[in-house]
Amino acid sequence: MIQSISNMPTIQTKDLTQNLNTQSETKGFQDILKSAINQIDEKQKVSDQLTNELVNGNTDDLHNVMIAAQKASITLETGVQIQKKAIDAYNEVMRMQI
């Protein structure tokens, strides 16, 4: 059991951070935001496609379908939390007195 857990692929946060740093150097905030939204949308589409294949009987790989659904869910929840933090930061700046 422990070996099977240790053999699972890990999330490459270092690669993600480097990718975001590279994007921020060459793109504006608007482009980075669009890219992030597109990534969320892509995860949702992949999850929907795999779920439809499972429902239609084209695949019997429930494991990958559930992993894709969970990735889509986590990605969407992360996007929502980032949106909330950005709105909170904006509201805080608007409350500042000059």
Side-chain angles (χ1 to χ4, degrees):
M1 176 77 175
I2 293 175
Q3 286 181 335
S4 64
I5 292 173
S6 65
N7 291 336
M8 293 179 66
T10 58
I11 298 172
Q12 300 296 327
T13 55
K14 183 178 178 182
D15 294 338
L16 180 61
T17 305
Q18 288 175 347
N19 188 19
L20 288 175
N21 288 338
T22 303
Q23 287 179 350
S24 65
E25 292 172 2
T26 59
K27 296 182 179 180
F29 178 75
Q30 180 181 3
D31 295 329
I32 294 171
L33 188 60
K34 283 182 183 180
S35 174
I37 292 170
N38 288 336
Q39 288 177 0
I40 292 171
D41 185 49
E42 186 63 33
K43 295 277 186 194
Q44 293 290 328
K45 286 179 182 177
V46 168
S47 175
D48 289 344
Q49 179 184 6
L50 289 175
T51 302
N52 286 335
E53 288 178 7
L54 181 68
V55 169
N56 293 330
N58 296 337
T59 185
D60 59 350
D61 192 6
L62 179 62
H63 184 350
N64 283 334
V65 173
M66 294 304 295
I67 289 173
Q70 194 63 27
K71 282 181 181 179
S73 175
I74 290 171
T75 304
L76 181 62
E77 184 61 31
T78 302
V80 169
Q81 292 300 321
I82 290 171
Q83 174 198 13
K84 286 180 182 180
K85 291 293 183 182
I87 290 172
D88 289 345
Y90 173 78
N91 287 333
E92 186 68 27
V93 168
M94 293 306 292
R95 278 188 236 125
M96 288 183 184
Q97 294 181 2
I98 298 177

